[in-house]
Amino acid sequence: MSSTTLSIPTPDGQSDAFAAYPGEGGTHPGVLLYPDAFGPRPVLWDMARELADHGYYVLVPNIFYRHRPAPVFDLPEHITAEHRPELFGQIMPLIEAYTAERALSDAGAYLDFLTARPEVGAGPVATIGYCMGAVLAMRTATAHPDRVAAIAGFHPGALVTDQPDSPHRQIPRLTAKVHLGLAEGDMTPEAITEISQAFDAAGVEYGCEIYPGTVHGFTMSDTEAFDSAGSRRHWERLLTLLGSTLKS
């Protein structure tokens, strides 16, 4: 497995990024991995390496590049509930500044960059994301349906809102296969019903699953939300999805 840091040209500047990919040469299916609200950091880079070990080229962009390079925040080694108020005082202004318009502008640049890498094979890619990254994965896929074959979102952010640009309202454009892995309490029953109905109406193949015993953030081993059983299930579902869409 090989890994490197990169700089991605965007309409607003240069986004720093991390990439991991198999080291034996050749080309591999591409995966665009969006981070959670804590941003790109070692745990995300380790997850990218894990995916690379399964045969994928994984690109992890710094969505907060307009503010500072990754790691964006001065995070403790292990994030607990006691750390969150102070951390989110720093994080929320950056999240609020990352509008849907900026996300879509970046998404096109990230896809262009990923698919142009010499290590990435021809054909559609996957977008995956954690927390707010799940929203970005969905926005990317609905804006570029011909370029994305799979979406995975784990402990997702607000996929169903009452806003006109809510991600679930863009699902009629979607062609990708989808897996949503929810912590208990991530989405209300009403929101799950609404997004499921949108998938059904669009004829999208999808799974929307609540992972038992988990809390929001259960995949992130550098937080107290981490759940080993939930993490294992996440890897099983993710690898099955990618194998059925990118390697078929």
Side-chain angles (χ1 to χ4, degrees), residues 6-16 65 105-106 108-110 112-113:
L6 299 161
S7 183
I8 303 173
T10 78
D12 288 337
Q14 298 285 325
S15 172
D16 54 300
Y65 70 89
S105 173
D106 286 347
Y110 295 154
D112 287 345
F113 187 86

Side-chain angles (χ1 to χ4, degrees), residues 122-162:
V125 303
T127 58
I128 66 177
Y130 301 85
C131 181
M132 67 174 290
V135 174
L136 301 177
M138 183 74 75
R139 289 200 188 282
T140 301
T142 53
H144 303 275
D146 58 329
R147 305 181 74 180
V148 179
I151 306 168
F154 298 97
H155 41 88
L159 292 173
V160 178
T161 74
D162 59 4

Side-chain angles (χ1 to χ4, degrees), residues 8 17-22 28-34 47-52 54-61 110-111 113-115 117 119-121 123-130 137 140 147-152 154 235 238-239 241-243 245-247:
I8 303 173
F18 175 88
Y21 50 95
H28 314 280
V31 176
L32 178 58
L33 190 162
Y34 285 113
M47 293 166 80
R49 292 185 181 100
E50 175 75 17
L51 272 180
H54 289 275
Y56 300 97
Y57 184 106
V58 187
L59 182 67
V60 187
Y110 295 154
L111 286 176
F113 187 86
L114 174 61
T115 56
R117 301 305 298 166
E119 303 90 354
V120 175
V125 303
T127 58
I128 66 177
Y130 301 85
T140 301
R147 305 181 74 180
V148 179
I151 306 168
F154 298 97
W235 282 115
L238 177 56
L239 292 171
L241 174 71
L242 297 182
T245 53
L246 301 189
K247 290 190 171 182

